[in-house]
Amino acid sequence: MPKHSTDPEAAGPDPNVEALLARLEEAESTLSAIRDGHVEALVVSSEGGPKVYALEGSEHRYRRLVETMSEGALLVSPTGVVLYSNAAFADMVAFPLERVIGKTLAEFVVHRQEHVLLALLEGAGARAGSGELTLCGALGNERPVYLSVAKNSPAEEPGLSVIVTDLTEQKRNQQIVASERLANAILEQSAEPIIVCDVNGVIIRASGAARSLAGARVLRRHFFHAFPFQAVVDDQEHPVLAALRGRTTAGREMTLLGSRSVQSFLCTAAPLLDETAKILGCVVALVDISDRKRVEAARSSLLDAERAARASAEHARTEAEASSRAKDEFLATVSHELRTPLNAMLGWSQLLTNNTLPAEKLEHALEVIQRNVLAQSRLVEDLLDVSRIVSGQMRLDVQAVEPIRVVSAAIESAKPAIEAKRIQLEVHLDPNAGQVLGDATRVQQIVWNLLSNATKFTDNDGKITVGVSRTGGTVEIVVSDTGQGIEAEFLPFVFDRFRQADGSFARRHGGLGLGLAIARHLVELHGGTIEVESTGVNRGSTFTVRLPFAGSRNSPIPLAGLAPVLDFEPPSRLAAPELRGIRILVVDDDDDSRDLVVSILEKCEAITIAASSAEQALAIVMRDRPDVLVSDIGMPGMDGYELVRAIRALPDERAQRVPAVAVTAYARQEDQRRALAEGFQLHVAKPIEPAAFALAVARLSRGAEQLISP
Amino acid sequence: MTKNRPSTGAFETAAENAASERYVLRLYIAGTTPASSKSVENLRAICEEHLKGRYELMIIDVFQQPLLAKDEQIIAVPTLIKKLPAPLRRIVGDLSNEHRVLVGLDLKPK
């Protein structure tokens, strides 16, 4: 108890003040007792007597219920003022609780819906109402809610109890349901396969097209198993794997190995993310481009084929052009080679015709003409040989041949040309070289070609060496010269047809470039080899022919095969034979040819009878029984073969056995064979060399005389 | 009722003074008790009528926010505290006596 003032200078204590102070003190102590929690209940007097308020009363539990529930709970006055709000509602509108109570409920509703709220609150006038509303929070964010309004019983204080349910979650769910429905519709309606995978790549959704593409159950299967795609380009991450790692792939071409065919697709895959960008799975869309690919493939194969066709046509054209160019070049060469001797012949023969040549030139003119005729004959012979080689028609008349004799004959043929150039000729013939099997004519041709080649390419005063020897199982024929030699680059082509080291028009050497090619071919036909060596330009060349050795000389060499060589024999070297008194029938439809033959024979003092057809000739044979018949083969009407057949069939023995010579431009070996087979005794190819021809006719007539005379 | 009618010069002076001043009020209630609800309704009506646009009101439920009640040494609820303008005043009760409330808020002379 506080002591009252005892100041001696003050007046005595006022009993009233003391009483007041005491009462104040008492009130304060009561209050502090209440404040300090020493009181359990308060008694408050009211009109109906004292009311007891328990500080923790029976309503405590309900209060706790309201305070802790997740719905908003409000007590609203009839005028709409919020008299009470729990914390849940304050949370919904994002206001501190102390700023919610005392405001009107309308302040928490979006403007456009105030009339809805009003209707709800008024409708609750009957008993209770409910409806959806959108709340507007402190930050302007909207929140869908469900309001349940109940009017308090009239016995209580007038007002409304409002329960507010947050619909945000539910709305989201509805949205999800709606979008789910949309997604399903898209999936089902889509013509393209669309697949949704979870984070592990397991299929959780698939469009109808996707299900039929897989041809089997797809849900709950791994994408890789349901759709075994193969990347067109290796080393690329699978679009599904990429999508599950957060990367989008657009339009990757992939193939699907189906049971029947390979299908091509463009594959697009994108990750499926939640609001926090967490990967939930992926969506895969496929576009079937098989048809497009097939069309493209067809088009490209068409293009390829076209390109190939064009290329091969181009190639063929190039080949044809090259071949045609070679042919043109060859023809130009042939033409040139044929014209050159013709030019000489024509020129000199015109000079002869005009009788303007001095006597000493006359012989030269004739010699030139003859030489050129021979050259031309040789060209034609070579061309025929090449033609036989190309067509595989070259035939060999194989016998035992003694190379020494054949080489000697060839040397004899070549000698005039060699001597003309004052070339020294050295010959080494081993008499023990032995024999080879072959066609004497052809072996001689080989040697002659080599000699001719050597002569052509050796300068005046050079030297040519010819040797024949035996080395083991082969007989070697060597022709070497000191001529211009062969460049190393040209060596491999020496034996090719139509090849001349110098193909230019200005080349110094004539010829078709066929000699060595023919020689090689003939050597090979004989089972032999031919080689060329040259140490370089102007160092000369050496040709070596090796033929298989066939035995020692023990049998005579038939010379019959050498006969055609007579064609090449220089005419001046043969004396005109005696044909005096021999009656010779000459048949040729060509006047010039017939006249030539008649002239040659009459020069040898033969008695000639001329016929321009086979029919005419047959009549003459039957009537006059000539000693020798010289006949052309190709004639209109009855030809030479028919004529000789008819003669051989004549009843008159003398007429029947008349010796016959075929003189023809059909110069091939087979033509010769046939002529002999048909009944001719001799075959002479045009152009004829007069002296040789006359000689042959003379021999034949003598043989016939021996044959005929007893 | 004459509360809306100024009858004395003192009231006018007080009203004029008060009219320019901003009020910061705290009302402490206890849940949904009748007196609490009544006090909210009454106070809101008074504020809207006399202090419209110039008052800041916080209503604190001592059940839900007991810590806020402790600051102000609240003994009984409802209690209205006028924090501004000074001096601080407490009015206990459901605020049904408008005259008493207006005097307490210095909106009316005694």
Side-chain angles (χ1 to χ4, degrees):
Chain A
M1 275 287 192
K3 273 283 183 193
H4 301 295
S5 171
T6 53
D7 192 341
E9 288 172 4
D14 184 334
N16 288 333
V17 171
E18 285 233 34
L20 277 171
L21 282 173
R23 283 181 62 188
L24 185 61
E25 204 171 324
E26 193 181 301
E28 279 196 2
S29 69
T30 307
L31 284 174
S32 46
I34 295 168
R35 194 187 295 138
D36 295 342
H38 298 143
V39 176
E40 286 183 336
L42 293 176
V43 180
V44 178
S45 35
S46 71
E47 287 169 8
K51 246 183 176 171
V52 179
Y53 287 98
L55 293 180
E56 289 289 335
S58 58
E59 70 168 11
H60 173 69
R61 276 182 217 156
Y62 302 109
R63 188 169 50 75
R64 293 299 297 170
L65 184 68
V66 170
E67 284 170 9
T68 56
M69 66 195 228
S70 56
E71 285 78 9
L74 301 173
L75 185 63
V76 180
S77 77
T79 56
V81 177
V82 177
L83 303 175
Y84 171 82
S85 166
N86 66 358
F89 181 80
D91 282 347
M92 286 183 202
V93 294
F95 272 100
L97 183 58
E98 63 270 23
R99 299 213 181 258
V100 175
I101 302 171
K103 288 201 166 70
T104 62
L105 185 53
E107 288 176 64
F108 300 110
V109 174
V110 293
H111 270 302
R112 60 179 188 274
Q113 289 191 343
E114 276 174 17
H115 67 282
V116 180
L117 176 69
L118 206 62
L120 267 174
L121 298 183
E122 280 177 359
R127 203 171 51 84
S130 61
E132 286 184 17
L133 264 182
T134 305
L135 296 184
C136 180
L139 305 170
N141 51 315
E142 299 191 355
R143 184 182 295 274
V145 292
Y146 183 80
L147 241 58
S148 180
V149 184
K151 196 179 180 184
N152 293 348
S153 68
E156 295 175 50
E157 295 297 325
L160 304 164
S161 295
V162 179
I163 301 296
V164 183
T165 308
D166 190 346
L167 295 182
T168 307
E169 199 68 26
Q170 192 188 327
K171 288 283 180 191
R172 190 183 297 148
N173 289 343
Q174 280 173 0
Q175 237 168 345
I176 289 167
V177 168
S179 57
E180 189 93 327
R181 220 172 276 142
L182 178 68
N184 272 334
I186 291 169
L187 275 178
E188 284 315 305
Q189 295 303 313
S190 169
E192 308 296 352
I194 297 174
I195 299 119
V196 183
C197 299
D198 70 7
V199 73
N200 296 314
V202 173
I203 296 169
I204 52 176
R205 289 285 163 83
S207 70
R211 291 196 300 271
S212 52
L213 173 64
R217 191 178 61 87
V218 291
L219 292 184
R220 313 255 50 97
R221 288 179 71 199
H222 197 281
F223 184 90
F224 292 169
H225 296 140
F227 300 99
F229 276 112
Q230 289 194 335
V232 169
V233 181
D234 286 342
D235 305 335
Q236 279 182 331
E237 195 178 26
H238 194 291
V240 168
L241 286 181
L244 294 177
R245 286 167 191 156
R247 289 187 295 276
T248 298
T249 308
R252 168 83 49 80
E253 188 180 333
M254 306 194 82
T255 54
L256 186 61
L257 295 171
S259 51
R260 280 155 302 177
S261 63
V262 177
Q263 284 176 282
S264 297
F265 289 90
L266 288 183
C267 178
T268 296
L272 206 57
L273 307 174
D274 72 0
E275 297 132 51
T276 63
K278 194 181 130 206
I279 295 170
L280 302 174
C282 69
V283 182
V284 185
L286 302 169
V287 179
D288 191 342
I289 56 166
S290 303
D291 288 344
R292 200 197 303 167
K293 291 292 284 182
R294 267 192 287 279
V295 170
E296 272 172 18
R299 191 188 303 146
S300 98
S301 78
L302 208 62
L303 279 177
D304 283 350
E306 194 185 314
R307 209 172 294 129
R310 210 179 295 143
S312 94
E314 180 69 17
H315 181 69
R317 196 168 62 83
T318 314
E319 288 259 287
E321 276 173 2
S323 151
S324 150
R325 201 160 41 240
K327 219 175 280 173
D328 287 348
E329 280 169 14
F330 179 65
L331 276 178
T333 308
V334 168
S335 168
H336 173 263
E337 291 304 311
L338 289 175
R339 277 169 187 277
T340 306
L342 279 176
N343 183 51
M345 286 184 258
L346 189 64
W348 283 107
S349 50
Q350 274 172 353
L351 289 174
L352 284 173
T353 322
N354 294 343
N355 276 329
T356 52
L357 275 181
E360 67 271 17
K361 281 275 182 185
L362 193 65
E363 200 173 331
H364 175 70
L366 293 171
E367 197 261 326
V368 168
I369 290 171
Q370 284 162 356
R371 183 155 34 82
N372 280 287
V373 167
L374 281 178
Q376 200 161 33
S377 301
R378 217 165 282 132
L379 284 176
V380 172
E381 235 6 86
D382 279 356
L383 283 173
L384 284 172
D385 279 346
V386 168
S387 161
R388 287 181 195 114
I389 289 167
V390 168
S391 60
Q393 302 264 324
M394 182 69 85
R395 298 273 184 274
L396 292 184
D397 187 6
V398 178
Q399 306 163 35
V401 175
E402 198 165 350
I404 293 178
R405 298 192 56 181
V406 177
V407 169
S408 297
I411 289 171
E412 283 307 307
S413 296
K415 231 174 199 168
I418 294 169
E419 285 170 356
K421 289 181 82 174
R422 296 192 306 279
I423 294 169
Q424 188 191 338
L425 180 66
E426 200 176 300
V427 181
H428 304 284
L429 302 178
D430 179 357
N432 298 316
Q435 293 178 313
V436 296
L437 277 179
D439 184 325
T441 314
R442 293 307 186 182
V443 176
Q444 188 180 336
Q445 191 181 348
I446 293 165
V447 179
W448 192 86
N449 280 356
L450 294 180
L451 278 172
S452 166
N453 188 67
T455 309
K456 195 189 285 181
F457 292 104
T458 301
D459 291 333
N460 292 350
D461 304 317
K463 182 179 171 183
I464 294 176
T465 310
V466 181
V468 176
S469 62
R470 195 178 125 203
T471 310
T474 59
V475 176
E476 273 188 5
I477 302 168
V478 180
V479 178
S480 58
D481 61 60
T482 59
Q484 72 179 56
I486 300 165
E487 283 175 60
E489 305 91 81
F490 188 66
L491 270 179
F493 306 110
V494 161
F495 298 107
D496 285 359
R497 280 199 297 275
F498 309 142
R499 282 293 192 135
Q500 283 187 323
D502 181 0
S504 68
F505 280 106
R507 64 205 164 89
R508 289 155 56 208
H509 309 288
L512 294 173
L514 296 175
L516 293 179
I518 293 168
R520 184 193 65 169
H521 192 80
L522 291 174
V523 168
E524 286 170 357
L525 277 179
H526 282 85
T529 59
I530 186 166
E531 269 173 22
V532 62
E533 282 172 67
S534 177
T535 47
V537 173
N538 293 326
R539 307 289 287 272
S541 357
T542 299
F543 288 83
T544 305
V545 174
R546 293 186 182 86
L547 298 172
F549 171 71
S552 303
R553 174 166 40 166
N554 51 15
S555 57
I557 301 293
L559 279 170
L562 294 176
V565 175
L566 290 174
D567 289 349
F568 302 129
E569 205 70 23
S572 55
R573 300 178 63 80
L574 288 173
E578 185 77 14
L579 287 173
R580 187 192 299 269
I582 294 178
R583 293 177 305 124
I584 302 173
L585 170 59
V586 180
V587 197
D588 200 321
D589 61 314
D590 182 73
D591 295 343
D592 290 345
S593 296
R594 192 176 64 240
D595 288 349
L596 176 65
V597 171
V598 166
S599 303
I600 291 167
L601 295 176
E602 284 184 346
K603 205 180 167 197
C604 298
E605 298 178 52
I607 300 159
T608 58
I609 311 158
S612 60
S613 73
E615 291 85 354
Q616 199 185 349
L618 187 57
I620 294 169
V621 167
M622 288 191 289
R623 189 186 67 211
D624 295 340
R625 292 195 289 265
D627 298 319
V628 176
L629 168 71
V630 176
S631 174
D632 185 22
I633 296 297
M635 288 181 288
M638 182 186 270
D639 67 16
Y641 296 138
E642 287 170 296
L643 173 61
V644 81
R645 273 204 303 274
I647 290 170
R648 299 293 179 243
L650 285 174
D652 183 299
E653 195 176 289
R654 190 183 168 88
Q656 184 200 72
R657 299 177 68 171
V658 62
V661 182
V663 178
T664 174
Y666 294 124
R668 295 173 305 166
Q669 203 161 8
E670 52 269 36
D671 298 324
Q672 183 179 356
R673 282 213 185 85
R674 175 159 183 209
L676 299 181
E678 295 280 2
F680 286 101
Q681 273 65 48
L682 197 62
H683 176 273
V684 177
K686 285 180 184 173
I688 54 174
E689 201 287 301
F693 172 68
L695 189 62
V697 174
R699 279 184 191 155
L700 200 59
S701 66
R702 278 195 295 277
E705 270 170 11
Q706 285 162 15
L707 201 71
I708 290 163
S709 58
Chain B
M1 290 285 273
T2 59
K3 63 181 177 183
N4 289 336
R5 271 187 203 189
S7 55
T8 64
F11 173 77
E12 282 177 18
T13 307
E16 277 169 22
N17 287 342
S20 61
E21 286 180 293
R22 197 168 172 75
Y23 277 72
V24 175
L25 305 175
R26 300 270 164 88
L27 174 64
Y28 292 83
I29 60 169
T32 56
T33 55
S36 293
S37 295
K38 228 175 253 168
S39 68
V40 172
E41 209 174 355
N42 288 333
L43 179 60
R44 184 175 163 90
I46 290 165
C47 286
E48 284 295 297
E49 186 173 341
H50 300 283
L51 297 171
K52 194 168 176 75
R54 55 186 182 101
Y55 70 97
E56 182 192 301
L57 172 62
M58 288 168 71
I59 299 177
I60 295 141
D61 177 6
V62 296
F63 286 131
Q64 295 186 74
Q65 298 166 290
L67 291 177
L68 293 181
K70 196 181 164 207
D71 295 344
E72 301 292 348
Q73 302 269 305
I74 299 299
I75 300 169
V77 285
T79 297
L80 172 66
I81 295 178
K82 177 180 72 100
K83 292 194 74 141
L84 286 174
L88 186 139
R89 285 274 164 79
R90 291 166 187 261
I91 303 162
V92 179
D94 64 8
L95 312 180
S96 298
N97 187 337
E98 188 180 352
H99 176 74
R100 217 184 112 220
V101 175
L102 290 174
V103 169
L105 293 178
D106 297 325
L107 291 170
K108 220 173 188 179
K110 284 181 189 169

